[in-house]
Amino acid sequence: MDIIIADDHPLTLQGTQAFVESYGHHVVGTCANGVSALNMIQLRLPHVAILDINMPAMDGLDVTKKIKELKLKTKVILLTMHKELMLYNKAREFGAYGYILKEHAQDELKKCLEEVEKGNQYVSDSLLKDLISVRETGTSELDKLTFSERKIVELIAQQKTSKQIAEMLFLSEKTIEGHRTNIIEKLGLPKEKNTLLKWAMKNGLDR
């Protein structure tokens, strides 16, 4: 199969490419962000796109959603470090064929590609166990936020300013400030100075 790979971590990108090529597939392009990935997918029309979920400009879910909207035939496999039920449900909604945790990618990517080539969907067993446990223990405060909002909160936890976050996510500072306001309302936080930073650090997002 012709495959495009997108990941903003160079070592992960190179490693994934090496694995995919060792399985006999042809990597027709690699890129480091979602916008480049979508452009390349539209240009090359690969059989499969292997996308990191957490990327600048457009994340893997955004690209997957756009592929569905454009009715492209490229099948998406998402690689992620996230185990949240909300993200998995979004991936299913947007038509992703594969959903694999990065920590198990070396073991499961080959099997996933085999299943996707047959037209089947693939979700790693380890992830399904985690998702079931999440269902049983209920939702967290973070489940109230969109993936983009989570990224912003994580960057706030790293004590990044709105201007720095805007530059990192290729958005305007005004947009980031708008997201901050929405996040504070969703979480029901007091409207005081550094309220989001305090909440993020309290919930361990600075680690």
Side-chain angles (χ1 to χ4, degrees), residues 7-23:
D7 196 302
D8 62 335
H9 295 282
L11 288 176
T12 306
L13 185 62
Q14 291 168 20
T16 305
Q17 181 175 358
F19 284 129
V20 168
E21 289 176 339
S22 74
Y23 306 147

Side-chain angles (χ1 to χ4, degrees), residues 3 19 37 41 61 81 90 105 141 144 156 161 172 180:
I3 295 175
F19 284 129
I41 289 164
L61 285 171
M81 293 184 292
K90 283 289 182 188
E141 289 289 289
K144 297 176 183 177
I156 289 170
T161 65
S172 71
R180 279 180 178 264

Side-chain angles (χ1 to χ4, degrees), residues 40-95:
M40 195 178 290
I41 289 164
Q42 289 178 276
L43 182 67
R44 306 299 294 270
L45 298 175
H47 299 105
V48 172
I50 300 174
L51 308 176
D52 181 16
I53 283 190
N54 197 4
M55 291 188 291
M58 288 178 76
D59 61 53
L61 285 171
D62 292 333
V63 178
T64 307
K65 182 181 181 183
K66 202 68 183 172
I67 287 171
K68 183 180 181 181
E69 289 172 353
L70 294 170
K71 295 182 170 61
L72 302 178
K73 292 184 178 179
T74 298
K75 296 171 182 174
V76 173
I77 295 171
L78 291 167
L79 293 179
T80 180
M81 293 184 292
H82 302 281
K83 300 178 182 179
E84 290 90 341
L85 183 61
M86 182 269 290
L87 295 181
Y88 172 65
N89 287 338
K90 283 289 182 188
R92 289 183 61 193
E93 180 187 336
F94 298 155

Side-chain angles (χ1 to χ4, degrees), residues 85 88-89 92 128 130-139:
L85 183 61
Y88 172 65
N89 287 338
R92 289 183 61 193
L128 284 174
D130 285 322
L131 291 172
I132 290 166
S133 69
V134 168
R135 273 196 204 100
E136 290 172 348
T137 55
T139 59

Side-chain angles (χ1 to χ4, degrees), residues 53-178:
I53 283 190
N54 197 4
M55 291 188 291
M58 288 178 76
D59 61 53
L61 285 171
D62 292 333
V63 178
T64 307
K65 182 181 181 183
K66 202 68 183 172
I67 287 171
K68 183 180 181 181
E69 289 172 353
L70 294 170
K71 295 182 170 61
L72 302 178
K73 292 184 178 179
T74 298
K75 296 171 182 174
V76 173
I77 295 171
L78 291 167
L79 293 179
T80 180
M81 293 184 292
H82 302 281
K83 300 178 182 179
E84 290 90 341
L85 183 61
M86 182 269 290
L87 295 181
Y88 172 65
N89 287 338
K90 283 289 182 188
R92 289 183 61 193
E93 180 187 336
F94 298 155
Y97 269 75
Y99 197 94
I100 305 176
L101 284 176
K102 281 190 173 183
E103 62 192 274
H104 300 296
Q106 186 173 345
D107 300 322
E108 297 187 320
L109 189 53
K110 183 179 181 181
K111 187 176 179 183
C112 180
L113 285 167
E114 289 171 352
E115 289 301 313
V116 169
E117 191 169 14
K118 295 174 190 172
N120 300 326
Q121 293 182 326
Y122 181 90
V123 181
S124 60
D125 290 338
S126 56
L127 180 62
L128 284 174
K129 288 173 187 171
D130 285 322
L131 291 172
I132 290 166
S133 69
V134 168
R135 273 196 204 100
E136 290 172 348
T137 55
T139 59
S140 70
E141 289 289 289
L142 278 172
D143 289 329
K144 297 176 183 177
L145 306 181
T146 66
F147 186 65
S148 296
E149 288 169 343
R150 288 179 188 220
K151 282 194 287 188
I152 290 167
V153 173
E154 286 170 6
L155 291 170
I156 289 170
Q158 296 169 28
Q159 302 195 36
K160 304 290 185 188
T161 65
S162 289
K163 184 178 180 182
Q164 289 171 323
I165 295 170
E167 289 170 356
M168 293 173 76
L169 300 181
F170 302 94
L171 298 169
S172 71
E173 191 172 345
K174 186 177 179 181
T175 298
I176 299 300
E177 289 295 340

